[in-house]
Coordinates of all heavy atoms in Angstrom, one line a residue:
Chain A
L46 N -14.4 -73.4 30.2 CA -14.0 -72.6 31.4 C -14.7 -73.1 32.6 O -14.7 -72.5 33.7 CB -14.4 -71.1 31.2 CG -13.5 -70.4 30.1 CD1 -14.1 -69.0 29.9 CD2 -12.1 -70.3 30.5
R47 N -15.3 -74.3 32.5 CA -16.2 -74.7 33.6 C -15.4 -74.9 34.9 O -15.9 -74.6 36.0 CB -16.9 -76.0 33.2 CG -16.0 -77.2 33.0 CD -16.7 -78.5 32.7 NE -17.2 -79.1 34.0 CZ -17.3 -80.4 34.1 NH1 -17.0 -81.2 33.1 NH2 -17.7 -81.0 35.3
W48 N -14.1 -75.3 34.8 CA -13.4 -75.5 36.1 C -13.0 -74.2 36.7 O -12.8 -74.2 37.9 CB -12.2 -76.5 35.8 CG -12.7 -77.9 35.5 CD1 -12.6 -78.5 34.3 CD2 -13.4 -78.7 36.4 NE1 -13.2 -79.7 34.4 CE2 -13.7 -79.9 35.6 CE3 -13.8 -78.7 37.7 CZ2 -14.4 -81.0 36.2 CZ3 -14.5 -79.8 38.3 CH2 -14.8 -80.9 37.5
F49 N -12.8 -73.2 35.9 CA -12.5 -71.9 36.4 C -13.7 -71.4 37.2 O -13.6 -70.8 38.3 CB -12.1 -70.9 35.4 CG -10.7 -71.2 34.8 CD1 -10.5 -71.9 33.6 CD2 -9.6 -70.7 35.5 CE1 -9.3 -72.1 33.1 CE2 -8.3 -71.0 35.0 CZ -8.1 -71.7 33.8
E50 N -14.9 -71.6 36.6 CA -16.1 -71.2 37.2 C -16.3 -71.9 38.6 O -16.6 -71.4 39.6 CB -17.3 -71.5 36.3 CG -17.5 -70.5 35.2 CD -18.3 -71.0 34.1 OE1 -19.1 -72.0 34.3 OE2 -18.2 -70.5 33.0
A51 N -15.9 -73.2 38.5 CA -16.0 -74.0 39.7 C -15.2 -73.5 40.8 O -15.6 -73.4 42.0 CB -15.6 -75.5 39.4
V52 N -14.0 -73.0 40.5 CA -13.1 -72.4 41.5 C -13.8 -71.2 42.1 O -13.8 -71.1 43.4 CB -11.8 -72.0 40.9 CG1 -10.9 -71.2 41.9 CG2 -11.0 -73.2 40.3
F53 N -14.3 -70.3 41.3 CA -14.9 -69.1 41.9 C -16.1 -69.4 42.7 O -16.6 -68.6 43.5 CB -15.2 -68.1 40.8 CG -13.9 -67.5 40.2 CD1 -13.4 -67.8 39.0 CD2 -13.2 -66.6 41.0 CE1 -12.2 -67.3 38.5 CE2 -12.0 -66.0 40.5 CZ -11.5 -66.4 39.3
E54 N -16.8 -70.5 42.4 CA -17.9 -70.9 43.2 C -17.6 -71.7 44.4 O -18.5 -71.9 45.3 CB -19.0 -71.6 42.3 CG -19.7 -70.7 41.4 CD -20.3 -71.4 40.2 OE1 -20.3 -72.7 40.2 OE2 -20.7 -70.7 39.3
H55 N -16.4 -72.1 44.5 CA -16.0 -73.0 45.6 C -15.6 -72.1 46.8 O -14.6 -71.4 46.9 CB -14.7 -73.8 45.2 CG -14.4 -74.9 46.1 ND1 -14.0 -74.8 47.4 CD2 -14.5 -76.3 45.9 CE1 -13.8 -76.0 47.9 NE2 -14.2 -76.9 47.0
A56 N -16.5 -72.1 47.8 CA -16.4 -71.1 48.9 C -15.1 -71.3 49.7 O -14.4 -70.3 50.0 CB -17.6 -71.3 49.9
D57 N -14.7 -72.5 49.9 CA -13.5 -72.8 50.7 C -12.2 -72.2 50.0 O -11.4 -71.5 50.6 CB -13.3 -74.3 50.9 CG -14.2 -74.8 52.0 OD1 -14.8 -73.9 52.7 OD2 -14.3 -76.0 52.2
F58 N -12.1 -72.5 48.7 CA -11.0 -71.9 47.9 C -11.0 -70.4 48.0 O -9.9 -69.8 48.2 CB -11.0 -72.4 46.5 CG -10.2 -73.7 46.3 CD1 -10.8 -74.9 46.1 CD2 -8.8 -73.6 46.4 CE1 -10.0 -76.1 45.9 CE2 -8.0 -74.8 46.2 CZ -8.7 -76.0 46.0
M59 N -12.1 -69.8 47.8 CA -12.1 -68.3 47.7 C -11.8 -67.8 49.1 O -11.0 -66.8 49.2 CB -13.5 -67.8 47.3 CG -13.9 -68.1 45.8 SD -12.5 -67.8 44.7 CE -12.5 -66.0 44.7
A60 N -12.3 -68.4 50.1 CA -12.0 -67.9 51.5 C -10.5 -68.0 51.8 O -9.9 -67.1 52.3 CB -12.8 -68.8 52.5
S61 N -9.9 -69.2 51.3 CA -8.5 -69.3 51.5 C -7.7 -68.3 50.7 O -6.7 -67.8 51.2 CB -8.0 -70.8 51.1 OG -8.6 -71.7 52.0
F62 N -8.2 -68.1 49.5 CA -7.5 -67.1 48.7 C -7.4 -65.7 49.4 O -6.4 -65.1 49.5 CB -8.2 -67.0 47.3 CG -7.7 -65.8 46.5 CD1 -6.4 -65.9 45.8 CD2 -8.4 -64.7 46.4 CE1 -6.0 -64.9 45.1 CE2 -7.9 -63.6 45.6 CZ -6.7 -63.7 45.0
W63 N -8.6 -65.3 49.8 CA -8.6 -63.9 50.4 C -7.8 -64.0 51.7 O -7.2 -63.0 52.1 CB -10.0 -63.5 50.7 CG -10.7 -63.1 49.4 CD1 -11.8 -63.7 48.8 CD2 -10.3 -62.1 48.5 NE1 -12.0 -63.1 47.6 CE2 -11.2 -62.1 47.4 CE3 -9.3 -61.1 48.5 CZ2 -11.1 -61.2 46.3 CZ3 -9.2 -60.2 47.5 CH2 -10.1 -60.3 46.4
N64 N -7.9 -65.1 52.4 CA -7.1 -65.2 53.6 C -5.6 -65.1 53.3 O -4.9 -64.4 54.0 CB -7.4 -66.6 54.2 CG -7.1 -66.7 55.6 OD1 -7.3 -65.7 56.4 ND2 -6.6 -67.8 56.1
S65 N -5.2 -65.7 52.3 CA -3.7 -65.6 51.9 C -3.4 -64.2 51.5 O -2.3 -63.8 51.8 CB -3.4 -66.6 50.8 OG -3.3 -67.9 51.3
V66 N -4.3 -63.6 50.8 CA -4.0 -62.2 50.4 C -3.8 -61.3 51.6 O -2.8 -60.6 51.7 CB -5.1 -61.7 49.4 CG1 -4.9 -60.2 49.2 CG2 -5.1 -62.4 48.1
R67 N -4.8 -61.4 52.5 CA -4.7 -60.6 53.7 C -3.4 -60.9 54.5 O -2.7 -60.0 54.9 CB -5.9 -60.8 54.6 CG -7.1 -59.9 54.3 CD -8.1 -60.1 55.4 NE -8.5 -61.5 55.6 CZ -9.0 -62.0 56.7 NH1 -9.2 -61.2 57.7 NH2 -9.4 -63.2 56.7
L68 N -3.2 -62.2 54.6 CA -2.0 -62.6 55.4 C -0.7 -62.0 54.7 O 0.2 -61.5 55.4 CB -1.9 -64.1 55.4 CG -0.8 -64.8 56.0 CD1 -0.7 -64.5 57.5 CD2 -0.9 -66.3 55.8
A69 N -0.6 -62.1 53.4 CA 0.6 -61.7 52.7 C 0.8 -60.2 52.8 O 1.9 -59.7 53.1 CB 0.6 -62.1 51.3
L70 N -0.4 -59.5 52.7 CA -0.3 -58.0 52.8 C 0.2 -57.6 54.2 O 1.1 -56.8 54.3 CB -1.7 -57.4 52.6 CG -2.2 -57.3 51.2 CD1 -3.7 -56.8 51.2 CD2 -1.4 -56.3 50.4
L71 N -0.4 -58.2 55.2 CA 0.0 -57.8 56.5 C 1.4 -58.2 56.9 O 2.2 -57.4 57.4 CB -1.0 -58.4 57.5 CG -2.4 -57.8 57.6 CD1 -3.4 -58.7 58.4 CD2 -2.3 -56.4 58.2
S72 N 1.7 -59.4 56.6 CA 3.1 -59.9 57.0 C 4.2 -59.2 56.3 O 5.2 -58.8 56.8 CB 3.2 -61.4 56.9 OG 3.0 -61.8 55.6
A73 N 4.0 -58.9 55.0 CA 5.0 -58.2 54.2 C 5.2 -56.8 54.8 O 6.3 -56.3 54.9 CB 4.6 -58.1 52.7
T74 N 4.0 -56.1 55.1 CA 4.1 -54.8 55.7 C 4.8 -54.7 57.0 O 5.7 -53.9 57.3 CB 2.7 -54.2 55.7 OG1 2.1 -54.3 54.5 CG2 2.7 -52.7 56.1
I75 N 4.4 -55.7 57.9 CA 5.0 -55.7 59.2 C 6.5 -56.0 59.1 O 7.3 -55.3 59.7 CB 4.3 -56.8 60.1 CG1 2.9 -56.4 60.4 CG2 5.1 -57.0 61.4 CD1 2.1 -57.5 61.2
S76 N 6.9 -56.9 58.2 CA 8.3 -57.2 58.1 C 9.1 -56.0 57.6 O 10.2 -55.8 58.0 CB 8.5 -58.4 57.2 OG 8.4 -58.0 55.8
T77 N 8.4 -55.2 56.8 CA 9.1 -54.0 56.3 C 9.3 -53.0 57.4 O 10.4 -52.4 57.6 CB 8.3 -53.3 55.2 OG1 8.0 -54.3 54.2 CG2 9.0 -52.1 54.6
F78 N 8.3 -52.8 58.3 CA 8.4 -51.9 59.4 C 9.5 -52.4 60.4 O 10.1 -51.6 61.0 CB 7.1 -51.7 60.1 CG 6.3 -50.6 59.4 CD1 5.2 -51.0 58.6 CD2 6.6 -49.3 59.5 CE1 4.4 -50.0 58.0 CE2 5.8 -48.3 58.9 CZ 4.7 -48.7 58.1
L79 N 9.7 -53.7 60.5 CA 10.7 -54.2 61.4 C 12.1 -54.0 60.7 O 13.1 -53.7 61.3 CB 10.5 -55.7 61.7 CG 9.3 -56.0 62.5 CD1 9.1 -57.5 62.6 CD2 9.4 -55.4 63.9
A80 N 12.1 -54.3 59.4 CA 13.4 -54.4 58.7 C 14.1 -53.0 58.5 O 15.3 -52.9 58.6 CB 13.2 -55.1 57.4
V81 N 13.3 -52.0 58.2 CA 13.9 -50.7 57.9 C 14.8 -50.2 59.0 O 16.0 -49.9 58.9 CB 12.9 -49.6 57.4 CG1 13.5 -48.3 57.3 CG2 12.3 -50.0 56.1
P82 N 14.2 -50.0 60.2 CA 15.1 -49.6 61.3 C 16.2 -50.6 61.7 O 17.3 -50.1 62.0 CB 14.1 -49.4 62.5 CG 12.9 -50.1 62.2 CD 12.8 -50.2 60.7
A83 N 15.9 -51.9 61.6 CA 16.9 -52.9 61.9 C 18.1 -52.7 60.9 O 19.3 -52.8 61.3 CB 16.4 -54.3 61.9
A84 N 17.7 -52.5 59.6 CA 18.8 -52.4 58.6 C 19.6 -51.2 58.8 O 20.8 -51.1 58.6 CB 18.2 -52.4 57.2
L85 N 18.9 -50.1 59.2 CA 19.7 -48.8 59.5 C 20.6 -49.1 60.6 O 21.8 -48.6 60.6 CB 18.7 -47.7 59.9 CG 18.0 -47.0 58.7 CD1 16.9 -46.1 59.2 CD2 19.0 -46.2 57.9
A86 N 20.2 -49.7 61.7 CA 21.0 -50.0 62.8 C 22.3 -50.8 62.4 O 23.4 -50.5 62.8 CB 20.3 -50.7 63.9
I87 N 22.0 -51.8 61.6 CA 23.1 -52.7 61.2 C 24.1 -52.1 60.3 O 25.3 -52.3 60.4 CB 22.5 -54.0 60.5 CG1 21.8 -54.9 61.6 CG2 23.6 -54.8 59.8 CD1 21.0 -56.0 61.1
T88 N 23.6 -51.3 59.4 CA 24.6 -50.7 58.4 C 25.2 -49.4 58.9 O 26.3 -49.1 58.5 CB 23.9 -50.4 57.1 OG1 22.7 -49.6 57.3 CG2 23.6 -51.6 56.3
R89 N 24.5 -48.7 59.8 CA 25.0 -47.3 60.1 C 25.7 -47.2 61.4 O 26.3 -46.2 61.7 CB 23.8 -46.4 60.1 CG 23.1 -46.2 58.8 CD 24.1 -45.5 57.8 NE 23.6 -45.5 56.5 CZ 22.7 -44.6 56.0 NH1 22.2 -43.7 56.8 NH2 22.4 -44.7 54.7
Y90 N 25.7 -48.3 62.2 CA 26.3 -48.2 63.5 C 27.2 -49.3 63.8 O 26.9 -50.5 63.4 CB 25.2 -48.1 64.6 CG 24.4 -46.9 64.5 CD1 23.2 -46.9 63.7 CD2 24.7 -45.7 65.1 CE1 22.4 -45.8 63.6 CE2 24.0 -44.5 64.9 CZ 22.8 -44.6 64.2 OH 22.0 -43.5 64.0
E91 N 28.3 -49.0 64.5 CA 29.1 -50.1 65.0 C 28.7 -50.3 66.5 O 28.8 -49.4 67.3 CB 30.6 -49.6 65.1 CG 31.3 -49.5 63.7 CD 31.8 -50.8 63.3 OE1 31.9 -51.7 64.1 OE2 32.2 -50.9 62.1
F92 N 28.2 -51.5 66.8 CA 27.8 -51.7 68.1 C 28.0 -53.2 68.5 O 28.1 -54.0 67.6 CB 26.4 -51.3 68.5 CG 25.3 -52.0 67.6 CD1 24.7 -53.1 68.1 CD2 25.0 -51.5 66.4 CE1 23.7 -53.7 67.3 CE2 24.0 -52.1 65.6 CZ 23.4 -53.2 66.1
R93 N 28.1 -53.5 69.7 CA 28.4 -54.9 70.1 C 27.1 -55.7 69.8 O 26.0 -55.3 70.0 CB 28.7 -55.0 71.6 CG 30.1 -55.2 71.8 CD 30.5 -55.7 73.2 NE 29.9 -54.8 74.2 CZ 29.5 -55.2 75.4 NH1 29.7 -56.4 75.8 NH2 29.0 -54.3 76.3
G94 N 27.4 -56.9 69.3 CA 26.3 -57.8 69.0 C 25.7 -57.6 67.6 O 24.6 -58.1 67.3
R95 N 26.3 -56.7 66.8 CA 25.7 -56.4 65.5 C 25.7 -57.6 64.6 O 24.6 -57.9 64.0 CB 26.5 -55.3 64.9 CG 25.9 -54.7 63.6 CD 26.7 -53.6 63.0 NE 28.0 -54.1 62.6 CZ 28.7 -53.4 61.8 NH1 28.3 -52.2 61.3 NH2 29.9 -53.8 61.4
D96 N 26.8 -58.4 64.6 CA 26.8 -59.5 63.7 C 25.8 -60.6 64.2 O 25.1 -61.2 63.4 CB 28.2 -60.1 63.7 CG 29.2 -59.2 63.0 OD1 28.7 -58.3 62.3 OD2 30.4 -59.4 63.2
A97 N 25.7 -60.7 65.5 CA 24.7 -61.7 66.0 C 23.3 -61.3 65.7 O 22.5 -62.2 65.3 CB 24.9 -61.8 67.6

Side-chain angles (χ1 to χ4, degrees):
Chain A
L46 292 176
R47 63 177 278 213
W48 292 110
F49 288 98
E50 285 160 19
V52 173
F53 287 106
E54 281 158 14
H55 196 292
D57 283 351
F58 266 110
M59 292 316 287
S61 294
F62 169 77
W63 288 114
N64 200 37
S65 280
V66 170
R67 272 191 302 156
L68 177 61
L70 282 173
L71 285 169
S72 58
T74 307
I75 291 173
S76 79
T77 308
F78 276 105
L79 292 173
V81 171
L85 281 170
I87 287 169
T88 50
R89 295 295 170 81
Y90 297 91
E91 288 275 348
F92 59 96
R93 253 194 311 151
R95 188 177 65 163
D96 291 344

